[in-house]
């Protein structure tokens, strides 16, 4: 089988590809090729040089690009490519083009092939907003308060309808905020949730733009990759008329994250965090749920992380040079 | 001010136009022109000949058409045009084109004008589905089980985001099933909810495709028109971050509808209804809620009908030749 990963040069895309190569199979079938499609090529040479990896540079909002990388042997698509929250809020048209139009084109191209590929779509806490219960339930209404959240919610609805009609075999995985991401800060409103751990561990100062009491819902990169693969392997029949899963995460306050950093890396590291509130970011992040009920995902075999200190330890481990 | 009504040749569109002409003003401003845009011209000559009415034939999925009927003086748009549920299920592409793409183009054209017109969008019970509480609440998740419901839910999300960004002043009114509609059956899955009253009143037989215990959520044409006008006049500030309202309706079973018909028109009329279940229609209708909590709409001054027998009496009154 062939697998397509959009956003394949991204951090999660590359980790997912490596995990899939290690397994060698998906849904019980050997993996012959993994296409990593993105606007840039992946940085990891071990990956791009791998015999079963095809790194492709292309714009997913161009249907011809999608058509050239999806064929009858493409049995799984992980659609990770997105314009992140901060950028989609700043550049409305770009967010619509990639988060909505390209997602729709992807579904259309998959549908046109006629063999119902599994399409795993990553959605987000950002589909929620407004007045929320402390713990968001499966039947809590979506009320996105950002253009990113709106576009993700719309792509979810499209994927569900294409699945209901039998055009594809789609699954929506709503991801908690991924932390700790390696690399540099990005334009996501949630970028600080990695920055306040990552930068201090390098001995650099980091600014936290939200109040310490702010509760976030986190998943480690390893947890995210495991969930993507498990989500792709769930039997269609078990998903019923609702192929949307809120993934397990850790509900922690920013202060608790910082306390975990102190526990793992000491007082001096922790002191490298400065608080400087940024209203633009706070406005977006404060509308996201700090926790949601994940009973359904757990019943289907999806698990999350144990505690945030362990997540930090794993991050240190994985990024040791 | 100018008002645009898409679907303006439709039954509700024409009634809305007449009600607006009678009032002479909207949001405290005199109405200079009402554009009735539709793929056909309205049948009511009194309306098309009216000095302040402009009847326009055009395809709303063509942006140039929208641009030619929306200008700086267009201060209110009632977006009623839609491919109905049964047809959108049978012709997926057509539903996407009109219910989604045309709705988005309408929002874009309104945004481009820069004066934030009020846009009243009619949505539907069909945005709900799956396992539902007996009475759907404001925060019950949307889970549409038809392409029509999906497209309506997506257009709602777009309208909310355009409103949140300050591009337009949008309002979503989720309408109960409109009953009793005059005229002929249409391709809506809910067509029977008018047919089983209208046809027997003409002395004709009518087929009910769903079980008598099926609960529907109904609003009279008069109630719908009143709600559209009231919805357009609600102060922006009172809608907060959620410009979506579930309109008051009557929760009645099909058997109760038939009992009301007997009460108003007698035993013989009532006996003109045949039950013949149609799986395709039952499948769509059974996923719609039979009632929803309308406290928010009521607080904002929106009201519904008192009882279904009175709705039938008003229908008879209005359609006396």
């Amino acid at each position: 089988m062939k697998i397509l990963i959009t956003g394949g040069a991204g951090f999660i895309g590359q980790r997912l590809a490596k995990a899939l190569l290690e397994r060698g199979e998906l849904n019980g079938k050997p993996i012959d090729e993994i296409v990593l499609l993105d606007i840039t090529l992946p940085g990891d040479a071990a990956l791009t040089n791998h015999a079963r990896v095809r790194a492709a540079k292309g714009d997913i909002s161009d249907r011809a690009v999608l058509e050239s990388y999806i064929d009858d042997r493409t049995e799984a698509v992980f659609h990770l490519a997105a314009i992140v929250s901060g950028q989609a809020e700043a550049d409305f048209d770009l967010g619509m083009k990639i988060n909505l139009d390209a997602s729709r084109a992807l579904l259309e191209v998959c549908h046109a092939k006629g063999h119902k590929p599994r399409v795993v779509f990553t959605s987000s806490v950002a589909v929620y907003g407004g007045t929320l219960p402390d713990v968001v339930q499966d039947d809590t209404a979506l009320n996105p308060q950002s253009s990113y959240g709106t576009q993700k919610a719309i792509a979810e609805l499209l994927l569900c309808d294409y699945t209901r009609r039998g055009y594809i075999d789609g699954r929506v995985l709503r991801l908690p905020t991924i932390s700790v991401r390696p690399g540099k800060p990005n334009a996501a409103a949630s970028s600080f949730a990695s920055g306040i751990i990552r930068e201090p561990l390098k001995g650099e100062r980091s600014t936290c733009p939200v109040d310490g009491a702010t509760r976030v819902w986190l998943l480690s990169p390893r947890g995210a990759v495991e969930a993507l693969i498990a989500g792709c392997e769930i039997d269609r029949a078990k998903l019923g008329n609702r192929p949307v899963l809120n993934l397990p995460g850790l509900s922690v306050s920013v202060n608790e994250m910082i306390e975990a950093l102190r526990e793992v890396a000491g007082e001096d590291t922790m002191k490298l965090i400065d608080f400087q509130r940024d209203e633009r970011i706070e406005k977006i992040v404060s509308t996201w749920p700090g926790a949601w009920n994940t009973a359904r995902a757990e019943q289907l075999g999806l698990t999350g992380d144990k505690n945030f200190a362990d997540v930090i330890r794993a991050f240190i481990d994985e990024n040791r040079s």
Side-chain angles (χ1 to χ4, degrees), chain A:
Chain A
M1 75 182 305
K2 280 174 65 172
I3 297 170
L4 169 65
I5 305 178
T6 73
F11 157 60
I12 295 288
Q14 292 189 63
R15 279 192 70 143
L16 172 62
K18 278 188 265 185
L20 288 168
L21 288 170
E22 257 172 52
R23 295 175 111 239
E25 57 144 51
L26 185 64
N27 301 327
K29 292 185 189 174
I31 298 167
D32 302 313
E33 184 179 78
I34 300 177
V35 178
L36 299 176
L37 176 60
D38 210 318
I39 45 168
T40 56
L41 292 173
D44 187 338
L47 199 56
T48 50
N49 292 332
H50 194 288
R52 276 179 290 154
V53 171
R54 181 173 174 201
K57 203 169 145 177
D59 179 351
I60 57 161
S61 69
D62 179 351
R63 185 167 167 150
V65 167
L66 293 173
E67 275 166 352
S68 64
Y69 295 110
I70 296 173
D71 64 29
D72 298 343
R73 293 173 51 234
T74 308
E75 291 187 43
V77 176
F78 293 91
H79 179 35
L80 312 181
I83 299 298
V84 294
S85 50
Q87 198 180 358
E89 196 61 21
D91 189 340
F92 179 68
D93 291 338
L94 181 64
M96 290 290 277
K97 183 176 156 189
I98 301 300
N99 296 342
L100 198 169
D101 294 329
S103 297
R104 181 171 166 191
L106 176 72
L107 296 175
E108 261 311 299
V109 172
C110 288
H111 168 207
K113 293 297 165 199
H115 66 293
K116 285 198 206 184
R118 291 201 178 182
V119 178
V120 179
F121 174 64
T122 48
S123 189
S124 156
V125 287
V127 296
Y128 292 106
T131 310
L132 286 172
D134 282 346
V135 178
V136 161
Q137 304 298 317
D138 272 347
D139 59 356
T140 299
L142 306 192
N143 185 13
Q145 297 299 314
S146 66
S147 293
Y148 173 76
T150 299
Q151 292 148 11
K152 285 285 183 185
I154 291 173
E156 286 191 3
L157 283 162
L158 287 175
L159 182 134
C160 290
D161 201 43
Y162 274 73
T163 298
R164 186 188 61 80
R165 294 186 75 102
Y167 291 173
I168 61 162
D169 177 354
R171 293 103 200 282
V172 174
L173 303 180
R174 289 200 193 118
L175 291 173
T177 294
I178 305 296
S179 172
V180 185
R181 286 178 175 273
K184 294 185 175 169
N186 68 13
S190 60
S191 181
F192 74 89
S194 289
I196 60 170
I197 306 299
R198 182 184 60 224
E199 267 65 90
L201 285 173
K202 287 190 283 190
E204 296 170 11
R205 303 205 72 83
S206 177
T207 301
C208 180
V210 301
D211 189 80
T214 306
R215 197 152 275 280
V216 285
W217 182 239
L218 302 181
L219 182 64
S220 68
R222 179 180 299 177
V225 167
E226 283 170 1
L228 285 166
I229 294 172
C232 187
E233 292 196 320
I234 296 170
D235 277 353
R236 169 84 254 139
K238 288 188 182 162
L239 290 167
N241 69 0
R242 190 152 198 170
V244 181
L245 294 172
N246 289 352
L247 293 189
L250 291 171
S251 178
V252 287
S253 69
V254 167
N255 286 334
E256 286 164 1
M257 292 175 71
I258 294 172
E259 176 54 27
L261 180 63
R262 195 196 55 73
E263 180 190 329
V264 174
E267 192 84 13
D268 289 348
T269 303
M270 169 201 141
K271 284 185 175 160
L272 292 168
I273 300 165
D274 306 307
F275 279 89
Q276 191 172 351
R277 291 166 75 160
D278 179 329
E279 211 182 306
R280 194 185 59 86
I281 290 176
E282 219 160 29
K283 203 177 154 194
I284 296 179
V285 174
S286 67
T287 69
W288 297 347
W292 57 37
N293 183 335
T294 58
R296 189 153 172 257
E298 284 162 39
Q299 273 163 13
L300 290 164
L302 301 173
T303 52
D305 304 297
K306 286 205 188 68
N307 63 71
F308 194 64
D310 280 354
V311 170
I312 297 177
R313 288 187 191 99
F315 171 78
I316 294 171
D317 239 31
E318 291 161 5
N319 292 278
R320 225 180 275 283
S321 50

